[in-house]
């Protein structure tokens, strides 16, 4: 099954009619299966009986996904399935895809520039730069860096001196002022040393918040500048 970035169907046919007609071009499709799939992607009742021409972007994307899974394929190829959606729509689409994978055992191949979506949804990732694969692996492997990032909350008047104290530690690579505190890049498993040093130096630390590595940061580090 496949979904292009912006799926199109016949404007004056309903969602149900479009799915049944296009699905039957491949092989015979029962009305019961069409109703089942529309319900699975969150298009039922009024949505299923409304013309495609009045669908929102999110509804069009969901109908495209319904078309892709209609015949229970073992592999689905999706191109930007959450393109143009609001945050609620993106969250809903993620849930739909997880359920498809769980219930049908379907392998999902996802192409997207929305790296936060990729990080939330995918198990295995390939990063491509100018048509060349520069890194691939399981998401947790790609995010396993040789440093940790922490946000330290403390009174604003203590921040300049705290940065000096942190910068003197061999475990700390960098420390900078951010809204609400200090962002520290340090060696793995060094948070206890950092916290102890600040407390013994009488800084009023209220929180140490771990900041997980993002796939976007990894992507930017591995790919060439877009202006080149």
């Amino acid at each position: 099954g496949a979904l292009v970035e912006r799926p199109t169907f016949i404007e004056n046919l309903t969602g149900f009619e479009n799915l049944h007609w296009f699905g039957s071009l491949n092989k015979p499709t029962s009305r019961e299966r069409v109703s089942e799939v529309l319900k699975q992607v969150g298009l039922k009742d009024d949505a299923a009986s409304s013309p495609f021409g009045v669908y929102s972007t999110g509804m069009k994307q969901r109908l495209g996904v319904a078309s892709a899974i209609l015949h229970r394929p073992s592999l689905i190829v999706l191109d930007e399935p959450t393109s143009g959606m609001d945050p609620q729509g993106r969250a809903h689409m993620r849930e739909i895809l997880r359920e498809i994978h769980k219930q049908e055992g379907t392998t999902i191949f996802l192409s997207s520039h929305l790296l936060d979506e990729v990080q939330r949804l995918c198990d295995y990732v390939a990063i491509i730069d100018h048509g060349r694969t520069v890194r691939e692996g399981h998401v947790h492997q790609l995010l396993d860096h040789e440093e940790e990032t922490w946000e330290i909350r403390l009174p604003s008047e203590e921040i300049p001196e705290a940065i000096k104290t942190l910068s003197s530690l061999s475990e700390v690579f960098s420390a900078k002022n951010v809204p609400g505190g200090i962002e520290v890049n340090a060696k793995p498993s060094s948070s206890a040393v950092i916290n102890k040093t600040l407390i013994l130096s009488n800084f009023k630390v209220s929180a140490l918040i771990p900041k997980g590595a993002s796939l976007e940061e990894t992507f930017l580090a591995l790919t060439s500048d877009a202006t080149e």
Side-chain angles (χ1 to χ4, degrees):
L3 168 69
V4 296
E5 182 175 352
R6 298 185 185 276
T8 58
F9 294 87
I10 299 174
E11 295 278 314
N12 62 332
L13 293 185
T14 67
F16 183 97
E17 291 168 340
N18 267 298
L19 197 57
H20 187 263
W21 191 80
F22 280 103
S24 298
L25 294 176
N26 186 322
K27 59 184 178 180
T29 305
S30 70
R31 299 178 68 84
E32 290 74 21
R33 174 59 180 166
V34 172
S35 295
E36 177 187 348
V37 170
L38 286 171
K39 182 178 180 181
Q40 191 173 358
V41 300
L43 294 175
K44 54 184 180 179
D45 303 330
D46 290 344
S49 59
S50 297
F52 178 77
V54 302
Y55 273 21
S56 66
T57 299
M59 294 170 70
K60 290 177 179 178
Q61 295 293 101
R62 288 197 286 272
L63 188 62
V65 171
S67 179
I69 68 173
L70 184 60
H71 296 298
R72 293 188 170 92
S74 58
L75 170 67
I76 301 175
V77 179
L78 304 177
D79 180 27
E80 303 285 4
T82 60
S83 176
M85 288 187 176
D86 58 23
Q88 291 86 351
R90 288 180 180 177
H92 189 198
M93 180 60 74
R94 286 197 300 270
E95 289 306 311
I96 290 170
L97 296 178
R98 288 191 187 104
E99 282 302 307
I100 292 169
H101 175 67
K102 180 179 178 181
Q103 293 178 12
E104 308 281 350
T106 306
T107 297
I108 299 176
F109 186 98
L110 172 67
S111 172
S112 179
H113 290 88
L114 301 174
L115 300 183
D116 180 60
E117 296 291 305
V118 173
Q119 184 172 340
R120 290 168 180 262
L121 194 58
C122 296
D123 300 313
Y124 194 91
V125 171
I127 295 176
I128 299 174
D129 182 35
H130 291 83
R132 187 172 53 89
T133 301
V134 294
R135 181 74 63 84
E136 63 177 291
H138 293 281
V139 172
H140 69 87
Q141 294 172 328
L142 295 181
L143 300 180
D144 186 16
H145 297 314
E146 296 181 354
E147 64 180 59
E148 294 179 344
T149 302
W150 293 81
E151 184 176 327
I152 303 174
R153 299 283 176 84
L154 70 172
S156 58
E157 63 272 14
E158 295 183 356
I159 289 176
E161 197 61 36
I163 289 177
K164 291 181 183 179
T165 300
L166 291 171
S167 299
S168 68
L169 296 176
S170 61
E171 291 84 0
V172 174
F173 299 127
S174 67
K176 64 180 181 180
N177 192 344
V178 295
I182 301 171
E183 184 178 280
V184 177
N185 291 321
K187 295 178 181 178
S189 304
S190 59
S191 58
V193 173
I194 291 171
N195 190 43
K196 182 178 180 180
T197 300
L198 290 172
I199 296 300
L200 291 178
S201 300
N202 296 317
F203 292 106
K204 300 179 182 66
V205 178
S206 59
L208 260 73
I209 306 169
K211 297 184 68 176
S214 74
L215 195 58
E216 181 178 80
E217 292 170 347
T218 302
F219 178 88
L220 293 174
L222 290 172
T223 56
S224 57
D225 193 304
T227 61
E228 292 181 356

